[in-house]
Amino acid sequence: MAKINEIYYSIQGESSFAGIPCVFVRFTYCNLRCTYCDTAYAFYEGRDASVDEIISEIQEYKCKLVEITGGEPLVQREECLELMRKLCHLGYQVMIETGGSLPINDIDPRVKIIMDLKCPSSGMMKKNLYDNICFLKPIDEVKFVIGTREDYDWAKEIIAQYDLSNRCTVLFSPVFGQIEPADIVHWILEDNLPVRFQLQMHKYIWHPESRGV
């Protein structure tokens, strides 16, 4: 049995799939405590459900794009991996959003991984598992959540050190309400950095603290 915080149907707010209808499966629990976390309600709240029960709920939405998120979904590793594998077998396009502190090597290769690398202002930078970078596929995406100029400069160094822009898509997101998006865009253009800037679209469509959207 897995502990699930919520399952809902909305549009993708981030990533290269932004704006596309998607079913979200939010797993309970997280092993990180980022300073800017916007889903702290998923640390403990949830209900028990089997993998097959989760799939039945997903099927009700008639949508073939599914994102597995949290919390940190890989905390419940066996259930998460089984769910993604079964969804892929059923013909779903599956994404997982993971914080980058737990191994990704045994995720089904059909799954699109969106992996954070935690910047200094997150308070969780020491939790980054850099070995994961070796397992990234061209279809995957690495996300940096930028809250300060220090975060930006650090992310730029990591991109160069690991040649990330030639491995997969690199995403830069502002910490909502903490930094002006225009500042990050200016720095990206100034450095001609090969990244994709993004906003959390759902926070502009609905109230920033709304759940299930």
Side-chain angles (χ1 to χ4, degrees), residues 11-136:
I11 61 164
Q12 266 294 333
E14 304 180 71
S15 81
S16 58
F17 282 73
I20 298 176
C22 180
V23 179
F24 294 82
V25 179
R26 188 180 304 284
F27 276 69
T28 303
Y29 306 131
C30 188
N31 61 319
L32 302 179
R33 293 294 183 269
C34 298
T35 56
Y36 49 73
C37 180
D38 56 6
T39 52
Y41 58 87
F43 289 168
Y44 307 109
E45 297 177 14
R47 58 184 171 88
D48 292 331
S50 69
V51 167
D52 289 341
E53 287 170 342
I54 296 167
I55 291 173
S56 292
E57 287 191 48
I58 292 169
Q59 289 172 329
E60 293 176 7
Y61 293 107
K62 312 298 182 187
C63 175
K64 283 297 187 178
L65 180 63
V66 178
E67 177 174 304
I68 311 300
T69 185
E72 170 52 70
L74 290 175
V75 169
Q76 300 183 68
R77 190 170 201 83
E78 291 183 12
E79 295 84 357
C80 181
L81 295 177
E82 180 187 356
L83 174 61
M84 293 190 292
R85 187 169 56 250
K86 286 189 171 182
L87 286 171
C88 289
H89 287 335
L90 290 169
Y92 283 89
Q93 189 169 13
V94 183
M95 311 161 65
I96 181 171
E97 180 114 15
T98 177
S101 65
L102 299 176
I104 64 169
N105 59 298
D106 48 2
I107 292 175
D108 190 297
R110 294 169 291 182
V111 173
K112 181 185 186 75
I113 299 169
I114 302 172
M115 186 183 80
D116 276 26
L117 282 175
K118 301 300 184 183
C119 296
S121 74
S122 71
M124 293 287 113
M125 187 176 66
K126 291 181 179 179
K127 299 289 188 178
N128 288 327
L129 183 60
Y130 296 101
D131 288 350
N132 276 336
I133 293 172
C134 298
F135 300 103
L136 291 169

Side-chain angles (χ1 to χ4, degrees), residues 70-208:
E72 170 52 70
L74 290 175
V75 169
Q76 300 183 68
R77 190 170 201 83
E78 291 183 12
E79 295 84 357
C80 181
L81 295 177
E82 180 187 356
L83 174 61
M84 293 190 292
R85 187 169 56 250
K86 286 189 171 182
L87 286 171
C88 289
H89 287 335
L90 290 169
Y92 283 89
Q93 189 169 13
V94 183
M95 311 161 65
I96 181 171
E97 180 114 15
T98 177
S101 65
L102 299 176
I104 64 169
N105 59 298
D106 48 2
I107 292 175
D108 190 297
R110 294 169 291 182
V111 173
K112 181 185 186 75
I113 299 169
I114 302 172
M115 186 183 80
D116 276 26
L117 282 175
K118 301 300 184 183
C119 296
S121 74
S122 71
M124 293 287 113
M125 187 176 66
K126 291 181 179 179
K127 299 289 188 178
N128 288 327
L129 183 60
Y130 296 101
D131 288 350
N132 276 336
I133 293 172
C134 298
F135 300 103
L136 291 169
K137 311 178 295 296
I139 66 166
D140 296 334
E141 302 182 0
V142 171
K143 181 172 74 171
F144 295 89
V145 180
I146 309 291
T148 63
R149 177 69 200 218
E150 180 191 9
D151 287 352
Y152 174 85
D153 290 337
W154 178 84
K156 187 170 66 170
E157 290 178 9
I158 294 296
I159 291 167
Q161 181 179 346
Y162 291 96
D163 196 23
L164 282 179
S165 57
N166 286 317
R167 286 182 176 272
C168 61
T169 298
V170 179
L171 308 169
F172 273 24
S173 300
V175 177
F176 187 83
Q178 184 172 313
I179 189 171
E180 286 296 326
D183 289 343
I184 302 175
V185 171
H186 173 73
W187 300 333
I188 291 170
L189 296 177
E190 188 175 55
D191 291 333
N192 194 27
L193 205 62
V195 303
R196 178 175 182 147
F197 177 78
Q198 63 174 15
L199 297 171
Q200 292 176 294
M201 187 183 295
H202 50 287
K203 290 189 176 180
Y204 293 88
I205 300 172
W206 297 282
H207 188 279

